[in-house]
Amino acid sequence: MTITDAPKIITRRFDTPDSHTITRYEETGGYQALRTALGSMSPAQVAAQVKDASLLGRGGAGFPAGVKWGFCPPGVWPRYLVVNGDESEPGTYKDRLLMERDPHQLIEGVLLASYAIGAAQAFIYIRGEMALAQERVAKALNEAYAKGYIGKNILGSDYSIDVVMAWGAGAYIVGEETALIESLEGNRGMPRLKPPFFPAAKGLYMQPTVVNNVETLSNIPWIVSNGGETFAELGAEGSKGTRIFAVSGHVKNPGVFEVEYGVTTFRDIIYAPVYGGGIRSDRALKCFIPGGASAPWFYEEHLDLPLEKATVDKAGSMLGSGAIVVMDDTTDAVAACLSVVKFFSHESCGKCTPCREGTNWLEKILRRILDGYGRPSDLDLLMDVADNISPGIAWPPKQTTICPLGPSAVSPLASALGRFRPEFEAHIARAARAEAASAPAQAVGLPGGVA
Amino acid sequence: MTDTAATPDAEVEPEVVPGVPVTIDGREIIADEGELIIDAAERHGIYIPRFCYHPRMTPVGMCRMCICEVDTGRGPALQPTCMLECTPGMVVETASPVTTKAQEGVLELLLINHPLDCRVCAKGGESPPLDQTVANGPGESRFVEEKRHKAKPIPISDIVLLDRERCILCDRCTRFAKEVAGDPLIHFINRGNDTEVNTFPDDPFASYFSGNTVQICPVGALTSATYRFRARPWDLEAVESTCQTCAVGCRMAIESSRNEVLRYQGVDIDPVNWGWLCDKGRFNFEALGSEHRLREPLIKQGDAHRQARWAEALGEAAAALQAALDAGGPERIGVIGGARLTNEAAYAWAKLAKGVLGTDNVDCRLGDSLPAEAVLGLPQATIDDACRPGGTVLYLGPDPKEALPVLYLRLRHALVHDGIGLVEVTPVRTSLSDHAAVVLQHRPGEVHTAVRALLHGIPQGQDAGGVDPDALDAARARVAAAAEAGTLTVVVGTQSVAESPQWVTDAAAALAEAYPQVRFLPLVRRGNERGALEMGLAPGLLPGRTTLADGAAWYRTTWPTVPGAAGLDTAGILTAAAAGQIDTLVLLGADPLTDFPDRDLATRGLDGARRIIALDIFLNPSVLQADVVLPVAAFGEVEGSTTNLEGRISLLNQKVTPPGTARSDWEIAAELARRLGSDLQVASTDDLWNEAVAMAPSLDGITLELLLSPDASDGVVAPLPAEATPVPDEPADDAADAPVAATEPDEDADADSDEDAEADGDSEPTGPSTPPMVAFSAAQPLDPPALDAYALRLVATRKLYDLGTLTQASPSLAGLTPGTVLRVNPYDFDRLGVVEGQTLRVKSPRGGVEVEIVTDATVLRGTAAVHTNQPDVAVNRLIDATQPVTDIRIETGGAA
């Protein structure tokens, strides 16, 4: 076990019950980074600190935040900062806690980022279902306005900005940054095609826009206070600092854990008593999802990989949103696969044909197999339909769609079918036995089976 | 020339190929700058299949059918070619195994839930998915589950039905509704696999443009009540033509089966309609096949009509005309109408009326149009000029959505998507007002005051027609800047049928004087009103935009006679008829009782005319009074040409034969001429056009060959530019004293033209030369009378669906008339003691009607707004066409 004694950065206030209040925040060093930045740092210097920190985006794609900030085309104004708080990936619940337990940390991060990129306005977009997070962020914004941290001439400087909170209407896809922007503009949450609609160039209201995750921005105050290099001292070569992982599924102690990034292993975070605490009833591990529902599955042999972006990418999956979902040996792989595919089918926005129709078709075939109506040809059919959504079924995935939602449904299918094909075949064999025992007229065996 | 100019430069000049070189399927092609791959490929003969892409709407890249392997230097990746612009060196594979697999996959996925009822689907035969499947489909479905089922069809409007099972969610209809029409009444609802197109509850897709969604739907999801189950595409024969419902002149296709017109489809031409049609123009084909069409000539017998043979009816008609000539001369004949004719028929009737009968009491307008000399004489702009990005439009006219719907689409596109500026000067808010930078709302009859203030500021101590001074300042800056920059276009038309067109004419004159370089788009409303004016169907005019004074000598060389003096316009003819001064009145497809703003005058005029000859396709209220009714062939049943409000001439084609023995208008003119002992000397529409081109100055060079050539597929705007235009001799002087709607002593007109003829005769012994074209000038009218404190000044505007003949003869449209209420500012409500929703008697000096009264804060104080030509409330009873404005009083009762 490599449980490091790295300091907690963004969850350090979580243990006190009033961590969400401005009083507690100010007492624990809150808004000092903002004071420092506005008092003695140029926007470029703030950006440089973040770049030095090598802070990778915590939303899923893991793109360096400092680099992203530099993508806005120079001289194009106004530009906006959009905070992606639409945390919806199954098994992911870190941003919710950051917004509920330490909203001021996020707001200070938003202000620092806005200062660094020269944003004219910032928008905090919170998932529709997160009522408490919305309440706390709203209250925190009001407190920050009242204390002069937001608004005109912040802390006596010549920097002014408004921060606006908006909330979603309950769609997973709005976690995709261009769909979020559409939603923020008041439209249906449907992704835009990149190119040409890279948010940095053509984002909110077709203006340059930086979209950052809640966790990413929550790191900024600490980085500005302690220096980017201090942050970069933590973690591994390609994954600096600390990071929150959410462990759920068949573990004894599900929860969110801030660990040193790139050093801790999957075995640590699933089995260590301070983290996941091991599989329920001490059963055997069947598989686990390393980074959210769209990530290809990992197995026993991957347990000793460190939680480090490059390593996990190389091993054929991703750390994504940091959601680790553990499945023990009682899990039916077909049912688990259906569960994930059904989620994506349900959450497809309906814009692209392959995702809208394909994920639903996959769901129907899987349902049929699980219900005992599978045909031997269905496994090839599943893979071919999957191939039409994500050509080649490779990792990282290719796509016939605008956004990666459709291909996300392919990953678990490819994993399950690749590793646990006999389980699929067993369900189909059950169907074949039932068919042999039944009358020819029912041989098709499909409820209302019409082509 | 080539020797001297070419050599030195050509050697040093590097070879610059304009455009973007890309490779598509191994072929090097040159795409335009910013051109999408899908368009570039198609232009070079490589068709990439697509369902959601439509060249007139923003690409959304959502059907995924057009994805192809595209390599921009980072390796091939599947990309939607409808969203990617060509970049230099790009390599596109439209038929590689990866591309083919992906496209076939998309097609299969689109079809898994799509009903395979192609054999009974209205779209079967013209459906891209069906074509794709027939070409490349596997023949058997791998989808064994139950397809999606939804209730169907559901009516989403009075005309359009939706089958949600067939819908492939391409976003074309919804994009059209939002982006193009600006009526976002249909929308995606639900999500993912449950996504469907629908309306909001209790809020139907009541758009004037809904039929376009049926046309652009790639499947049979949207069908029109008029075409469902009527025919299959392979049963249809089509010809291209130009819509004559209003004066926009949308290019369209007439499609028929078994000699019956079954639908119109929009045809995309750049300068006009971009493929769109309004529902009125699209669905009024129903009128053509109406059982109420006139099929045989009728002669009045007592109070009823009896069927007659053509020989008898034409004999009666000729006798009626001859009787008028014998009784008092040509001025005892009046001809009203002609805006529904082809250009050729209009020329034939101009020649018959003016050149054979010798009367100048001829008017194709019905008292609610700009003066002919304004339409023909103002410096001309096209629709494209008005819509050009970077420009500013000064709009003084009717609500284009109601009067000229597809012009509204073009202006809306320019405003919303191309960011042109709009300054609107109007007595009531229009559908453009929300897009305007500044709206100057003025009192009825004071548009000229508002425009003069716009040009010169508000005179000290006065107000400018009730216009808000701050708005005026903003507008002044904008208009002056645009005029300075040469980017201003003035769109001008009549704003209200309850007032004389003189005010807006004066406003146009003031603008033309202040900005000599600015061009105008004069709005006429009726189908071929512009063509009829060009052909001289207005008093004081001869074909080719020339005045009677200027052109008499020229036309006498070919025509048997020419009127001695300028005659009367429609109001004048009706007034004269009412006074017993018109013996024979000809109605050329006109219904003054319904369509003339002043019902009382129209009634007295028709009653006072001794004999009425009507050429029409239906027995409308005015035709019912005719002594001789001659059934005529309608649109789609005749060939020829038409002229839109820009002066754009395009060809009309015949698709079906007229019902019964109905004849074309020009044949009737020729026949009547013969019976009157003359001869029009034409045997076909081609003859008519050739003669018109030879005679009419504005048509110089616009030969049949030109109109039929591929270069003229978008029509030809008359007159042809530059050297083709004859140079007018002192146009300003001639035009200034050219009588148009006024009367001028015979001697003067004759003397002028004789002098001209003689002067020209000196230099050219062959005879008179082509006369000059009319130039615009207008006398400044007196200010309107003061409004008495208890009265409201009326603004009467038209709605798209009204009591017009074609609309009422089309079952799908007839019921769409919205009716009318009288809209009054809440301030006046309180002042006059009126209660919302009350039905009260409204009186003008002319007459009275009962109408419901409602508040409308967008109506100026002291003003009342109403829609005219609607069922139940005969607003035309309130209007006196001889008065400059219409003031009404609301009778609040009490005493009764």
Side-chain angles (χ1 to χ4, degrees):
Chain A
M1 296 271 171
T2 46
I3 299 164
T4 66
D5 54 359
K8 284 187 179 173
I9 293 176
I10 45 180
T11 63
R12 67 183 187 275
R13 293 186 192 85
F14 274 25
D15 297 334
T16 49
D18 59 349
S19 61
H20 58 277
T21 61
I22 196 162
T23 323
R24 169 65 70 181
Y25 188 65
E26 284 176 328
E27 279 168 15
T28 51
Y31 291 114
Q32 288 310 317
L34 181 68
R35 228 173 264 282
T36 312
L38 293 180
S40 60
M41 293 169 80
S42 69
Q45 284 171 321
V46 175
Q49 290 295 333
V50 176
K51 217 166 185 174
D52 288 347
S54 302
L55 174 66
L56 300 186
R58 304 293 201 237
F63 195 82
V67 178
K68 195 175 193 174
W69 289 3
F71 281 161
C72 288
V76 185
W77 310 98
R79 49 178 70 157
Y80 301 112
L81 176 74
V82 171
V83 185
N84 187 343
D86 190 80
E87 181 182 56
S88 321
E89 189 80 12
T92 314
Y93 39 93
K94 60 186 179 67
D95 294 342
R96 175 164 67 87
L97 290 178
L98 285 169
M99 290 186 283
E100 288 174 1
R101 302 264 179 102
D102 205 346
H104 284 286
Q105 177 175 251
L106 171 64
I107 290 167
E108 190 176 3
V110 168
L111 295 168
L112 289 165
S114 299
Y115 178 66
I117 63 169
Q121 199 164 355
F123 298 83
I124 304 180
Y125 186 100
I126 304 177
R127 182 178 169 182
E129 292 88 336
M130 296 180 179
L132 182 60
Q134 290 165 17
E135 187 186 317
R136 293 230 164 127
V137 170
K139 188 155 179 282
L141 283 172
N142 287 340
E143 288 169 343
Y145 262 105
K147 289 250 181 176
Y149 295 122
I150 316 177
K152 250 194 154 13
N153 301 103
I154 299 170
L155 300 174
S157 73
D158 57 3
Y159 186 64
S160 307
I161 190 170
D162 277 316
V163 181
V164 175
M165 189 184 93
W167 53 92
Y172 166 77
I173 188 58
V174 174
E176 199 279 337
E177 58 184 1
T178 59
L180 188 152
I181 288 170
E182 282 282 312
S183 174
L184 201 51
E185 288 182 10
N187 302 323
R188 262 174 92 84
M190 284 178 152
R192 298 171 177 172
L193 188 76
K194 300 187 275 190
F197 301 111
F198 284 113
K202 291 179 177 180
L204 187 65
Y205 308 117
M206 290 298 141
Q207 291 296 319
T209 302
V210 170
V211 185
N212 278 149
N213 169 261
V214 167
E215 185 186 348
T216 313
L217 290 170
S218 294
N219 277 294
I220 308 292
W222 196 92
I223 291 171
V224 172
S225 290
N226 298 278
E229 282 171 13
T230 318
F231 186 85
E233 281 165 15
L234 298 165
E237 181 52 38
S239 301
K240 303 293 192 188
T242 64
R243 182 168 178 187
I244 303 183
F245 289 90
V247 183
S248 63
H250 301 158
V251 288
K252 289 177 183 163
N253 183 32
V256 292
F257 307 108
E258 183 178 0
V259 302
E260 189 170 355
Y261 199 7
V263 181
T264 316
T265 65
F266 285 109
R267 189 182 298 281
D268 298 335
I269 203 146
I270 294 171
Y271 286 97
V274 291
Y275 301 141
I279 314 281
R280 63 174 182 184
S281 312
D282 292 321
R283 299 197 69 95
L285 174 77
K286 180 163 185 163
C287 56
F288 62 95
I289 304 176
S294 41
W297 296 356
F298 271 178
Y299 312 100
E300 184 74 33
E301 64 266 31
H302 299 104
L303 276 175
D304 291 315
L305 292 179
L307 294 166
E308 200 245 342
K309 178 174 159 44
T311 312
V312 175
D313 287 351
K314 220 171 126 189
S317 190
M318 63 171 180
L319 284 176
S321 60
I324 297 168
V325 183
V326 178
M327 292 176 254
D328 70 14
D329 59 358
T330 63
T331 311
D332 182 333
V334 181
C337 181
L338 171 64
S339 176
V340 182
V341 168
K342 185 181 155 197
F343 171 80
F344 287 112
S345 167
H346 181 249
E347 292 293 347
S348 169
C349 78
K351 187 168 184 176
C352 303
T353 307
C355 173
R356 180 184 69 235
E357 303 291 342
T359 56
N360 189 257
W361 194 3
L362 291 179
E363 181 194 340
K364 284 186 162 142
I365 299 169
L366 286 167
R367 167 89 61 199
R368 197 151 47 74
I369 292 173
L370 198 63
D371 288 351
Y373 295 105
R375 304 169 300 179
S377 61
D378 280 339
L379 299 186
D380 288 344
L381 180 59
L382 274 175
M383 292 310 280
D384 195 57
V385 173
D387 188 78
N388 286 336
I389 303 170
S390 180
I393 315 183
W395 188 263
K398 292 182 172 161
Q399 58 200 48
T400 56
T401 49
I402 289 174
C403 86
L405 191 150
S408 294
V410 170
S411 302
L413 176 68
S415 294
L417 204 50
R419 183 80 167 203
F420 307 111
R421 194 175 177 100
E423 292 186 38
F424 286 78
E425 287 167 346
H427 281 293
I428 289 169
R430 185 161 60 86
R433 283 197 298 279
E435 189 182 326
S438 63
Q442 293 166 293
V444 178
L446 304 170
V450 183
Chain B
M1 183 73 190
T2 41
D3 286 347
T4 51
T7 38
D9 287 317
E11 281 174 2
V12 281
E13 203 171 282
E15 197 184 333
V16 178
V17 184
V20 182
V22 296
T23 306
I24 302 184
D25 293 349
R27 266 174 65 193
E28 287 265 358
I29 67 160
I30 302 295
D32 293 338
E33 200 73 44
E35 194 175 19
L36 297 167
I37 298 173
I38 198 169
D39 289 335
E42 186 168 8
R43 220 159 43 80
H44 291 84
I46 300 168
Y47 183 82
I48 301 173
R50 80 288 303 261
F51 302 129
C52 70
Y53 176 64
H54 189 285
R56 293 292 184 191
M57 298 191 287
T58 311
V60 285
M62 64 190 287
C63 79
R64 315 306 288 173
M65 192 62 208
C66 72
I67 51 173
C68 290
E69 275 191 296
V70 179
D71 189 347
T72 52
R74 290 183 296 179
L78 287 166
Q79 294 283 359
T81 54
C82 72
M83 294 205 64
L84 235 53
E85 291 176 1
C86 292
T87 53
M90 188 180 253
V91 179
V92 182
E93 298 292 343
T94 74
S96 68
V98 173
T99 297
T100 308
K101 167 92 167 65
Q103 290 183 351
E104 286 177 359
V106 170
L107 186 61
E108 179 185 35
L109 290 166
L110 275 174
L111 290 179
I112 59 173
N113 277 302
H114 183 75
L116 301 181
D117 60 350
C118 311
R119 284 169 295 177
V120 295
C121 172
K123 205 78 180 184
E126 55 182 5
S127 142
L130 178 58
D131 296 347
Q132 288 291 323
T133 309
V134 170
N136 305 312
E140 199 171 321
S141 176
R142 298 193 290 177
F143 185 77
V144 295
E145 283 80 8
E146 183 86 6
K147 289 182 187 250
R148 270 195 299 262
H149 286 299
K150 292 173 193 278
K152 69 178 199 175
I154 52 172
I156 57 170
S157 76
D158 291 306
I159 308 177
V160 180
L161 294 97
L162 169 65
D163 179 336
R164 291 167 297 173
E165 292 180 355
R166 288 180 184 156
C167 176
I168 59 169
L169 302 169
C170 68
D171 198 21
R172 277 188 176 191
C173 59
T174 40
R175 246 182 307 162
F176 174 84
K178 186 178 177 187
E179 257 182 37
V180 180
D183 298 321
L185 298 167
I186 46 173
H187 207 275
F188 286 146
I189 62 166
N190 296 332
R191 191 178 66 196
N193 206 48
D194 296 325
T195 310
E196 64 180 52
V197 170
N198 214 326
T199 58
F200 296 98
D202 304 321
D203 199 2
F205 183 39
S207 170
Y208 286 167
F209 307 99
S210 67
N212 293 297
T213 64
V214 175
Q215 182 174 341
I216 61 178
C217 179
V219 292
L222 291 168
T223 49
S224 68
T226 59
Y227 179 71
R228 279 171 73 78
F229 306 125
R230 297 288 204 293
R232 312 310 305 279
W234 53 82
D235 298 328
L236 297 175
E237 294 174 326
V239 293
E240 259 195 46
S241 196
T242 299
C243 181
Q244 282 192 307
T245 303
C246 76
V248 175
C250 298
R251 200 64 182 158
M252 44 101 88
I254 308 171
E255 301 193 351
S256 73
S257 174
R258 296 179 193 171
N259 204 33
E260 184 187 355
V261 175
L262 290 177
R263 68 175 179 185
Y264 296 151
Q265 297 276 73
V267 170
D268 192 333
I269 60 169
D270 269 328
V272 185
N273 62 315
W274 293 8
W276 313 128
L277 298 178
C278 70
D279 285 359
K280 183 175 175 180
R282 183 184 294 272
F283 296 119
N284 69 12
F285 75 86
E286 287 183 322
L288 299 183
S290 165
E291 56 181 322
H292 302 301
R293 279 288 297 275
L294 287 169
R295 288 156 196 278
E296 307 294 339
L298 303 173
I299 291 178
K300 192 150 203 177
Q301 200 164 46
D303 286 338
H305 286 99
R306 66 171 171 85
Q307 199 169 309
R309 288 177 301 112
W310 273 95
E312 187 188 1
L314 285 167
E316 286 273 328
L321 293 168
Q322 190 61 54
L325 288 175
D326 295 344
E331 23 325 322
R332 299 199 65 91
I333 298 174
V335 180
I336 295 176
R340 294 276 172 224
L341 307 184
T342 62
N343 290 334
E344 289 77 1
Y347 181 80
W349 271 92
K351 190 172 178 184
L352 173 67
K354 301 196 173 184
V356 174
L357 298 170
T359 180
D360 198 49
N361 298 334
V362 177
D363 198 355
C364 65
R365 300 157 304 158
L366 286 166
D368 59 348
S369 302
L370 290 178
E373 61 171 10
V375 174
L376 301 177
L378 283 165
Q380 303 279 306
T382 61
I383 296 173
D384 276 352
D385 291 337
C387 295
R388 189 157 293 135
T392 297
V393 165
L394 176 60
Y395 192 94
L396 321 90
D399 188 335
K401 194 173 180 177
E402 307 292 348
L404 303 159
V406 175
L407 175 66
Y408 166 75
L409 292 189
R410 289 292 312 274
L411 286 170
R412 185 183 178 278
H413 181 96
L415 288 164
V416 173
H417 301 289
D418 291 340
I420 69 162
L422 173 69
V423 174
E424 192 184 26
V425 186
T426 181
V428 283
R429 287 182 72 85
T430 71
S431 50
L432 290 178
S433 302
D434 285 345
H435 304 295
V438 190
V439 180
L440 300 179
Q441 204 173 344
H442 59 79
R443 290 188 295 261
E446 298 186 46
V447 62
H448 61 306
T449 316
V451 165
R452 285 182 194 280
L454 181 65
L455 291 168
H456 311 299
I458 303 178
Q460 197 69 38
Q462 295 180 28
D463 89 337
V467 165
D468 173 32
D470 293 340
L472 188 79
D473 286 343
R476 284 193 72 185
R478 247 173 202 280
V479 169
E484 177 78 13
T487 56
L488 182 69
T489 306
V490 179
V491 181
V492 59
T494 49
Q495 301 171 307
S496 160
V497 300
E499 67 185 48
S500 157
Q502 64 182 328
W503 317 114
V504 77
T505 308
D506 177 54
L511 285 161
E513 188 189 336
Y515 302 130
Q517 304 305 318
V518 165
R519 301 170 86 80
F520 291 75
L521 183 62
L523 301 181
V524 292
R525 193 179 68 89
R526 295 185 176 82
N528 196 23
E529 187 171 334
R530 177 69 190 249
L533 291 175
E534 300 268 1
M535 291 306 185
L537 288 182
L541 285 181
L542 288 168
R545 300 186 194 173
T546 191
T547 62
L548 207 50
D550 291 332
W554 170 251
Y555 274 94
R556 245 182 234 129
T557 59
T558 311
W559 289 8
T561 183
V562 172
L568 304 169
D569 64 4
T570 294
I573 295 169
L574 290 170
T575 308
Q581 292 159 4
I582 297 289
D583 284 323
T584 301
L585 179 64
V586 181
L587 299 177
L588 276 181
D591 179 8
L593 287 179
T594 311
D595 216 9
F596 188 69
D598 179 347
R599 174 73 169 244
D600 178 66
L601 178 56
T603 307
R604 287 187 289 116
L606 293 191
D607 288 347
R610 228 154 257 134
R611 296 171 213 87
I612 299 176
I613 303 167
L615 284 71
D616 216 306
I617 61 173
F618 287 102
L619 264 184
N620 58 40
S622 305
V623 176
L624 269 173
Q625 286 192 233
D627 301 279
V628 183
V629 180
L630 302 173
V632 294
F635 177 79
E637 299 163 357
V638 290
E639 59 177 21
S641 62
T642 190
T643 308
N644 82 345
L645 52 81
E646 306 166 288
R648 182 183 304 279
I649 299 163
S650 57
L651 293 177
L652 300 169
N653 276 304
Q654 181 181 355
K655 187 68 212 74
V656 293
T657 53
T661 61
R663 296 189 186 182
S664 49
D665 301 273
W666 74 266
E667 286 176 306
I668 294 169
E671 191 66 32
L672 289 174
R674 199 178 58 78
R675 283 167 191 268
L676 290 162
S678 185
D679 189 350
L680 294 190
Q681 295 183 311
V682 288
S684 67
T685 52
D686 289 1
D687 287 352
L688 282 161
W689 187 257
N690 290 336
E691 184 177 320
V693 171
M695 297 301 297
S698 66
L699 300 179
D700 193 26
I702 307 179
T703 59
L704 263 180
E705 291 68 41
L706 174 61
L707 286 175
L708 286 164
S709 70
D711 296 341
S713 59
D714 294 346
V716 175
V717 177
L720 292 179
E723 70 281 356
T725 313
V727 181
D729 319 327
E730 302 176 63
D733 284 356
D734 286 351
D737 51 17
V740 170
T743 51
E744 189 170 310
D746 293 9
E747 301 78 21
D748 276 14
D750 279 344
D752 280 358
S753 40
D754 286 345
E755 272 166 28
D756 285 353
E758 281 161 22
D760 290 334
D762 290 341
S763 51
E764 287 177 52
T766 44
S769 66
T770 319
M773 283 189 261
V774 62
F776 170 59
S777 70
Q780 189 172 348
L782 298 173
D783 282 334
L787 180 68
D788 105 54
Y790 296 98
L792 299 170
R793 191 150 284 172
L794 190 66
V795 181
T797 57
R798 292 180 183 275
K799 294 295 282 181
L800 184 66
Y801 301 121
D802 61 11
L803 295 178
T805 303
L806 286 182
T807 301
Q808 287 307 307
S810 303
S812 298
L813 304 176
L816 299 180
T817 47
T820 191
V821 293
L822 191 77
R823 291 170 287 135
V824 175
N825 190 289
Y827 167 84
D828 291 320
F829 249 63
D830 300 341
R831 196 168 61 89
L832 299 171
V834 183
V835 180
E836 174 94 28
Q838 257 184 316
T839 297
L840 289 174
R841 185 152 186 86
V842 171
K843 277 185 75 173
S844 75
R846 193 57 136 188
V849 295
E850 307 262 324
V851 62
E852 184 187 337
I853 306 190
V854 299
T855 49
D856 183 344
T858 69
V859 173
L860 283 184
R861 290 179 185 185
T863 305
V866 72
H867 298 135
T868 185
N869 209 5
Q870 293 291 316
D872 302 330
V873 181
V875 171
N876 55 6
R877 290 191 190 282
L878 295 171
I879 299 166
D880 182 345
T882 61
Q883 292 300 312
V885 288
T886 304
D887 292 344
I888 57 161
R889 285 186 184 218
I890 300 173
E891 296 199 338
T892 42

